[in-house]
Amino acid sequence: MIRKMNKNDKAAVMTLIRETDVFTQPEVTVAEELIDRYLDSPNQKDYLIVVIEENNTVAGYLCYGPTDLTEGTYDLYWMAVHPDFQGRGLGKKLVEWLVNAIENENGRLIIIETSSQHKYEATRLFYARSGCEEVARIPDFYKVGDDRVIYIKKIK
């Protein structure tokens, strides 16, 4: 089941973010800031967050929002599935849900950015298998040897 995140989900989402063992502490801090903004300011529209449950347990989450100054473009900011639930197609379900949600808003494009570090290799393969196209790399963006890799997923 995919549904909007609520305040009762925060601890579970923070746990799964940490336990993926991919995100650095500064990244975890930023993810939590976006979660808090979403939960504390329900009228804001910059960050929208959903969770996916399996067996009544929060197994993953997705944070996205419309890209400022564009028509129909959205950013996928964060997505993670708890390691105990990986390999069950939950990430695929989250992406399919996102595509449908954006399509319902007459969206046309999703932008996804990630790192070129080795620990993100599975993430990059996941995006490629999900029909996302790598369209750019900015060398040494995050730090020397760590490129920003940009994917797009066209909706229509």
Side-chain angles (χ1 to χ4, degrees):
M1 175 172 124
I2 298 175
R3 60 173 175 74
K4 291 180 180 180
M5 182 180 178
N6 63 55
K7 290 187 181 209
N8 295 329
D9 300 321
K10 182 179 174 182
V13 171
M14 293 309 302
T15 296
L16 76 86
I17 289 170
R18 287 184 186 97
E19 291 186 3
T20 61
D21 205 27
V22 175
F23 303 115
T24 64
Q25 185 52 52
E27 291 168 331
V28 171
T29 299
V30 169
E32 186 170 23
E33 288 172 359
L34 299 185
I35 289 167
D36 288 341
R37 181 164 179 196
Y38 170 78
L39 294 173
D40 295 340
S41 303
N43 293 327
Q44 65 81 34
K45 302 292 183 208
D46 295 326
Y47 303 105
L48 307 165
I49 303 178
V50 297
V51 296
I52 187 166
E53 291 182 325
E54 187 169 285
N55 301 324
N56 296 316
T57 301
V58 173
Y61 97 112
L62 182 142
C63 175
Y64 73 103
T67 307
D68 290 338
L69 304 173
T70 68
E71 294 179 6
T73 301
Y74 287 75
D75 285 294
L76 170 54
Y77 295 109
W78 295 89
M79 186 173 106
V81 173
H82 191 283
D84 292 346
F85 294 92
Q86 291 178 4
R88 299 182 189 183
L90 300 182
K92 180 180 178 181
K93 288 178 183 176
L94 282 167
V95 170
E96 290 170 352
W97 182 93
L98 178 62
V99 167
N100 288 332
I102 291 173
E103 193 170 41
N104 288 339
E105 294 294 324
N106 295 314
R108 60 185 180 79
L109 188 65
I110 301 170
I111 306 296
I112 306 158
E113 298 177 3
T114 192
S115 165
S116 68
Q117 290 183 58
H118 177 71
K119 68 181 181 176
Y120 286 95
E121 185 174 352
T123 301
R124 293 188 305 274
L125 289 171
F126 170 79
Y127 289 135
R129 286 192 311 266
S130 297
C132 302
E133 174 188 358
E134 181 180 326
V135 294
R137 278 185 182 243
I138 302 172
D140 303 323
F141 180 82
Y142 296 106
K143 63 183 177 185
V144 174
D146 186 4
D147 305 345
R148 174 189 260 180
V149 184
I150 303 170
Y151 291 88
I152 63 168
K153 182 156 181 74
K154 295 180 182 177
I155 303 296
K156 295 180 182 180

